[in-house]
Amino acid sequence: PLCTLKYFPHSHEHTIQWAKNAFDNFFGVEVDELSAYIEKGRAFVVEGSRTGASKLSLIKTLRVNLSIIASASYSDCLRWGIVTFLRLFQANIAALLRRFPRNMVTSSGAPFWGGPKRRPSPLLLDLDNSEQRRFVILAARLRARSLGIHVNHSIENDLSSLAGSIDMELLNDSDVELGGIQGEVDIGRGSQAEVSEETIIEECRTLPDTRPVCGQLLPIFFGGEGKKEVHIDFVMAAANLRGKCYEIEASDRYTVQSVAEKITPALVTSTSVVSGLAVLEMIKVLQEKKLEFHRNSYFNLALPFFTSSMPSPPVSRYHGDHKWTVWSNIQINGDKDLTLREFLDAFKSKFGLSVSMISCGVSMVYSLFAPKRRISERLRMTMTRIAVEVGQVDGGELEMCVNCRNHMFCLMFRCSEGWKSEVVSVPAIFSIRSVCRRRYDR
């Protein structure tokens, strides 16, 4: 039930689903609504399908997000993250306890707080606490990316001073909307029906009339495009903080992922058989068995049918004196962080190939058919800067990565003159930064 998720959770499944809903609302729904407001103006609010207090809530959310866009400052995203923590885990919990005090009883005389209803406790803001700090930073980074604002990791160490500059009046309206709860007590319908149309119009006038100039808005929904690891990180941080409020045991990453992504454990299924066969092959690898001991396996549980064969060697591809397989990679390590122009020159000098396209993740960072002005700008940028600003790779994670394959540059190449411009398929670029090379040397 919705009221259980919003007000009376008593298991980790409830806190995880609540956190997932919060993720979609903050970084997906709110950004979609902001895009609609930028396109339609105040008519989006006045003529929209929302009513009463729901429209007031929309106006307040738009006002906050528009102010963040206007400043285009990552500091404001961090402040938003702190305010969001205070609202979710302090102000809203305190409002719920004011509405349902400790000694409240139901119509039958039984204590209201009891059985599946756990009485929550607000969390005090402590930015030295690793869990709270992680929630604030993850929320700020996701907010910045959804609003097209550059993430500046250097100011994340100064959260305490940012917290001191927050206007606490932002939390005055944090009382939870209790009108949807059905149960043993009559709690009314809140103030939703009391908001007049004149009040809505008056509040709309506080929104900016001009269309804000902003970066590309990117609605982020859980499990959608982007780095899903960050989605799980935020849901886990939010769910475990809510669990602390309600004295619910913290969930590990695998539990959060299985609940949020609705993963059903495989017992007697094809997935379990594949997992077992893969583990057997990994044991052979650890035992350094020769190739003839390894097997490719094929099966169909419905028949049932099982068979196996010796693995074939990988298909080799050639270009000049170079030979590549699916397991190959190319390493280009410089003494410094190469610019895109230096990288293109180094690759052409080493392999005699001219690059036609470069992608990082799902973002195309260079192509011959891109506008000349954009190509000129990016040729002067370092590969690390391109990865962070264009490829949307987390700068902090890029510095700390041990396995650079997480942030590899995948390229498509076209032969240089003398090879009739035929397409040559080459492996991914494995390492381009000296910092990554030092990680591997270590």
Side-chain angles (χ1 to χ4, degrees):
L2 184 60
C3 61
T4 300
L5 292 179
K6 294 182 67 175
Y7 311 116
F8 310 120
H10 51 83
S11 70
H12 66 265
E13 287 88 353
H14 298 153
T15 59
I16 293 171
Q17 185 61 48
W18 173 88
K20 180 182 175 183
N21 293 346
F23 182 101
D24 287 340
N25 182 63
F26 287 143
F27 313 116
V29 175
E30 288 187 7
V31 179
D32 277 338
E33 291 172 342
L34 184 59
S35 298
Y37 173 80
I38 293 175
E39 178 184 353
K40 302 178 182 178
R42 294 172 181 168
F44 166 69
V45 180
V46 176
E47 300 172 3
S49 58
R50 292 198 183 195
T51 59
S54 181
K55 278 191 177 181
L56 283 182
S57 177
L58 171 62
I59 293 171
K60 293 168 187 174
T61 301
L62 289 172
R63 188 185 300 132
V64 170
N65 289 329
L66 287 168
S67 67
I68 295 176
I69 287 179
S71 68
S73 170
Y74 184 54
S75 296
D76 282 346
C77 294
L78 288 169
R79 291 189 186 92
W80 177 87
I82 296 172
V83 169
T84 300
F85 172 89
L86 293 171
R87 185 183 298 276
L88 294 179
F89 307 113
Q90 190 177 109
N92 282 357
I93 298 294
L96 184 66
L97 293 175
R98 286 195 302 270
R99 187 65 187 87
F100 303 106
R102 180 189 296 272
N103 57 355
M104 186 170 186
V105 295
T106 65
S107 56
S108 62
F112 180 82
W113 295 108
K117 290 189 178 70
R118 300 191 179 200
R119 187 174 183 274
S121 301
L123 296 181
L124 297 179
L125 180 64
D126 178 12
L127 293 175
D128 292 328
N129 179 283
S130 59
E131 290 183 324
Q132 295 188 18
R133 182 181 184 85
R134 182 168 180 77
F135 171 85
V136 170
I137 291 176
L138 287 170
R141 290 178 182 178
L142 286 164
R143 171 55 83 211
R145 287 173 183 167
S146 64
L147 298 184
I149 297 173
H150 174 64
V151 176
N152 183 0
H153 297 279
S154 62
I155 62 175
E156 291 177 349
N157 296 324
D158 197 24
L159 290 181
S160 298
S161 63
L162 292 174
S165 63
I166 289 176
D167 183 5
M168 300 306 291
E169 291 185 0
L170 293 172
L171 301 174
N172 288 344
D173 302 316
S174 295
D175 291 40
V176 290
E177 297 175 5
L178 304 173
I181 302 180
Q182 303 294 331
E184 305 91 333
V185 293
D186 180 16
I187 58 175
R189 286 284 173 182
S191 59
Q192 186 151 335
E194 301 172 6
V195 180
S196 64
E197 193 66 25
E198 291 76 13
T199 302
I200 299 295
I201 296 174
E202 190 66 28
E203 287 292 327
C204 274
R205 290 172 183 162
T206 64
L207 296 173
D209 192 24
T210 56
R211 306 284 173 88
V213 178
C214 60
Q216 181 181 4
L217 299 181
L218 178 65
I220 305 174
F221 289 92
F222 182 86
E225 294 185 2
K227 301 195 312 186
K228 296 183 181 180
E229 296 84 357
V230 179
H231 301 188
I232 295 293
D233 288 341
F234 176 87
V235 171
M236 183 172 69
N240 286 340
L241 287 172
R242 185 163 175 84
K244 281 193 171 185
C245 293
Y246 285 87
E247 297 183 357
I248 297 173
E249 185 178 355
S251 303
D252 58 33
R253 185 180 185 84
Y254 298 105
T255 301
V256 172
Q257 188 170 4
S258 63
V259 174
E261 297 183 353
K262 299 180 180 178
I263 299 174
T264 303
L267 298 177
V268 188
T269 65
S270 298
T271 305
S272 62
V273 177
V274 170
S275 301
L277 293 171
V279 169
L280 288 176
E281 297 305 312
M282 289 303 302
I283 292 174
K284 297 175 186 177
V285 172
L286 294 174
Q287 293 177 340
E288 299 182 352
K289 296 289 187 181
K290 295 182 180 180
L291 181 62
E292 54 263 28
F293 287 93
H294 292 268
R295 291 292 181 270
N296 286 329
S297 298
Y298 308 87
F299 65 91
N300 186 333
L301 294 180
L303 295 179
F305 171 76
F306 288 85
T307 187
S308 61
S309 64
M310 290 184 60
S312 303
V315 177
S316 298
R317 296 170 291 173
Y318 299 88
H319 172 66
D321 297 331
H322 302 286
K323 175 184 175 181
W324 294 306
T325 71
V326 68
W327 302 107
S328 302
N329 57 69
I330 296 173
Q331 297 190 26
I332 298 181
N333 294 313
D335 296 329
K336 61 176 183 177
D337 193 0
L338 299 176
T339 64
L340 178 57
R341 186 187 299 277
E342 291 170 336
F343 168 76
L344 296 176
D345 293 341
F347 198 89
K348 185 173 183 179
S349 173
K350 185 173 182 178
F351 298 102
L353 294 171
S354 295
V355 179
S356 63
M357 188 182 305
I358 302 178
S359 63
C360 179
V362 298
S363 302
M364 186 178 297
V365 299
Y366 171 81
S367 64
L368 293 179
F369 51 80
K372 292 184 178 180
R373 180 179 178 183
R374 182 184 301 171
I375 294 177
S376 178
E377 291 175 351
R378 292 184 180 173
L379 286 174
R380 298 190 297 269
M381 296 171 64
T382 64
M383 298 298 280
T384 300
R385 183 181 172 191
I386 289 175
V388 174
E389 296 185 7
V390 184
Q392 296 184 346
V393 173
D394 191 306
E397 293 180 3
L398 188 61
E399 289 291 342
M400 296 183 294
C401 72
V402 175
N403 185 348
C404 299
R405 276 186 174 274
N406 292 336
H407 305 298
M408 67 173 62
F409 283 78
C410 300
L411 291 86
M412 295 172 57
F413 297 100
R414 186 179 66 191
C415 278
S416 58
E417 295 181 4
W419 289 88
K420 299 181 181 180
S421 295
E422 61 177 306
V423 174
V424 176
S425 181
V426 302
I429 300 304
F430 185 46
S431 175
I432 59 171
R433 296 191 61 195
S434 57
V435 63
C436 293
R437 187 180 72 248
R438 289 199 296 270
R439 303 289 185 191
Y440 273 88
D441 291 344
R442 187 175 65 185

